[in-house]
Amino acid sequence: MSVTISRESPLSPDLALLMQRHSADMHAETPPESIHMLDASELAVPEVSFFVMREDGRPIGMGAVKRIGPDEGEIKSMHVLAELRGRGLARRMLDHLVAEAQAVGITRLSLETGSQDSFLAARRL
């Protein structure tokens, strides 16, 4: 099976399942006041680079980097279908997002990792 990651529009109709699953997971595991995910229309803006992971053409994962400053970005909306987890796909998407951020000059990349006290993890690239 062939897995690819490419930049795509988050508004593509075949991404509906990914978007629905991501939203459901966020609402199931995170207090409402701590949900900072962006919907598809909020991801379809120039400051967001949105990527889709496909296996044999089927969308199985997604991730995005939002530029929040001249050299700073934040990882947004990363998700891999639950039934495909455990294969290293999330790590592959994360590595891709980091590489893409570096390629456009982002040297500080952040990820909000918790709901309590809005914990934010940041890493210099």
Side-chain angles (χ1 to χ4, degrees), residues 37-49:
M37 67 177 224
L38 303 176
D39 67 24
S41 65
E42 293 171 305
L43 292 167
V45 296
E47 61 270 17
V48 174
S49 298

Side-chain angles (χ1 to χ4, degrees), residues 7-63:
R7 189 170 181 163
E8 298 187 26
S9 169
L11 301 174
S12 178
D14 74 338
L15 301 180
L17 177 64
L18 276 174
M19 295 291 181
Q20 290 168 355
R21 295 266 193 95
H22 180 58
S23 181
D25 282 358
M26 292 298 296
H27 285 90
E29 299 174 11
T30 308
E33 67 277 5
S34 296
I35 297 174
H36 303 288
M37 67 177 224
L38 303 176
D39 67 24
S41 65
E42 293 171 305
L43 292 167
V45 296
E47 61 270 17
V48 174
S49 298
F50 182 82
F51 300 91
V52 177
M53 177 181 281
R54 293 179 180 269
E55 185 169 61
D56 297 328
R58 174 182 165 227
I60 61 169
M62 65 181 185

Side-chain angles (χ1 to χ4, degrees), residues 1-122:
M1 301 215 178
S2 172
V3 175
T4 61
I5 301 174
S6 60
R7 189 170 181 163
E8 298 187 26
S9 169
L11 301 174
S12 178
D14 74 338
L15 301 180
L17 177 64
L18 276 174
M19 295 291 181
Q20 290 168 355
R21 295 266 193 95
H22 180 58
S23 181
D25 282 358
M26 292 298 296
H27 285 90
E29 299 174 11
T30 308
E33 67 277 5
S34 296
I35 297 174
H36 303 288
M37 67 177 224
L38 303 176
D39 67 24
S41 65
E42 293 171 305
L43 292 167
V45 296
E47 61 270 17
V48 174
S49 298
F50 182 82
F51 300 91
V52 177
M53 177 181 281
R54 293 179 180 269
E55 185 169 61
D56 297 328
R58 174 182 165 227
I60 61 169
M62 65 181 185
V65 175
K66 179 178 182 181
R67 185 179 288 275
I68 58 176
D71 62 351
E72 188 172 358
E74 182 181 6
I75 294 176
K76 302 298 287 183
S77 299
M78 195 170 130
H79 186 86
V80 172
L81 294 175
E83 62 271 24
L84 300 175
R85 293 179 187 162
R87 297 173 41 192
L89 298 171
R91 180 62 185 188
R92 188 166 169 183
M93 176 60 80
L94 182 59
D95 289 345
H96 183 84
L97 296 176
V98 169
E100 290 289 335
Q102 288 177 311
V104 297
I106 291 174
T107 59
R108 180 180 165 93
L109 192 58
S110 302
L111 170 66
E112 191 157 344
T113 59
S115 57
Q116 290 74 27
D117 299 321
S118 293
F119 182 77
L120 185 70

